[in-house]
Amino acid sequence: QPVAGGVYPVVCDPELAGVFAHEAFGHLSEADFVYANPQAAEMMVLGRAFGAPSLTIIDDGTLPGLRGTHRYDDEGTPTQRTELLRDGVLVGRLHSRETAARMGERPTGNARAVGYRYAPLVRMTNTYIQQGDASLDDMIADIPLGVYACDAVGGETMLENFSFSAGYGYMIRHGKLAEMVRDIVLSGNLFGTLQDIDAIGDDLRFGKKGDCGKGPGSLPVSTGAPHIRIRRVAMGGQ
């Protein structure tokens, strides 16, 4: 059956949580978008507290064996590990040489080009939520009524507002997984949702597939996350 519309505590599986981090937060951390958009620049101020104290989000192009991994970006800058959020506080963003110079910061090795005919753009590599210490069973155990949302089949973001569709899911009833449900659409304000993350799992994993479209075409990336629990998410049905 379709999930009934309402506001629920939601546990997101690693696939959905990783795509959420990439689409809803990662793109806002790309410096070409920030300096070209006054509203984004006003929001994305380094040192601002965005998320729960347990939340750290990282982009790392050096991780072995992942789709977004490479030694140098397309401006010759070595790729590196860049913390975007640390303990819920905005501490970094992704740069090319151009955007770093414009904003008085350092290049991060995130200038990527689709091919030699195109100029490099600021793009993510392997973006993930750092692992926590909660088990999936513990996250579910104290939820009287909620949703376990799995996989990601699409979504939209508009600055800090988002809407994501999960591939499938289950109702959580009295701390147990119950019936399977469909038409799971999560929506809300990014910054409020980041504040509402109250548990982060101990089971980080990366998706096996991933491409990110920006400008003239798509490039391979990876997204990763453990399970995460969000206290309140607006859930639309069909």
Side-chain angles (χ1 to χ4, degrees):
Q1 295 297 315
V3 65
V7 177
Y8 297 94
V10 173
V11 176
C12 298
D13 83 335
E15 184 73 23
L16 179 58
V19 171
F20 172 78
H22 173 102
E23 294 289 352
F25 189 80
H27 283 299
L28 279 179
S29 298
E30 293 170 336
D32 55 351
F33 175 74
V34 175
Y35 81 69
N37 187 310
Q39 191 174 352
E42 188 176 330
M43 290 189 306
M44 301 297 286
V45 176
L46 296 181
R48 178 179 172 183
F50 280 112
S54 57
L55 180 64
T56 296
I57 299 178
I58 299 164
D59 184 86
D60 191 345
T62 70
L63 296 172
L66 297 180
R67 287 177 57 80
T69 297
H70 45 282
R71 292 189 66 185
Y72 299 91
D73 73 2
D74 289 310
E75 293 178 332
T77 304
T79 54
Q80 56 199 266
R81 180 182 188 271
T82 304
E83 290 186 343
L84 305 176
L85 274 186
R86 184 195 305 134
D87 301 329
V89 176
L90 185 67
V91 294
R93 51 179 137 249
L94 306 179
H95 279 294
S96 64
R97 291 181 184 272
E98 176 190 4
T99 61
R102 285 176 179 263
M103 301 182 73
E105 298 173 14
R106 60 176 181 80
T108 59
N110 288 90
R112 305 183 65 191
V114 174
Y116 69 88
R117 294 184 177 90
Y118 302 98
L121 302 174
V122 181
R123 305 180 74 147
M124 285 171 274
T125 57
N126 307 306
T127 310
Y128 66 99
I129 297 173
Q130 186 168 275
Q131 181 167 294
D133 57 7
S135 71
L136 176 59
D137 288 344
D138 289 342
M139 289 187 198
I140 292 172
D142 59 355
I143 297 178
L145 178 64
V147 176
Y148 177 40
C150 304
D151 204 1
V153 295
E156 295 180 357
T157 59
M158 182 65 70
L159 287 177
E160 74 268 35
N161 296 311
F162 69 88
S163 176
F164 281 93
S165 296
Y168 63 97
Y170 300 86
M171 295 305 298
I172 301 170
R173 298 185 186 279
H174 308 295
K176 304 285 186 183
L177 293 182
E179 74 274 16
M180 196 173 190
V181 287
R182 59 181 173 87
D183 298 334
I184 300 171
V185 181
L186 296 76
S187 59
N189 176 276
L190 169 66
F191 305 128
T193 301
L194 293 176
Q195 292 282 357
D196 278 341
I197 294 175
D198 67 349
I200 298 176
D202 57 5
D203 53 356
L204 169 65
R205 69 173 185 258
F206 286 86
K208 295 180 180 179
K209 299 179 180 180
D211 292 280
C212 178
K214 179 178 179 179
S218 62
L219 284 175
V221 298
S222 285
T223 60
H227 282 87
I228 62 172
R229 186 175 68 188
I230 308 169
R231 284 191 296 262
R232 291 172 53 85
V233 180
M235 185 79 64
Q238 194 169 23

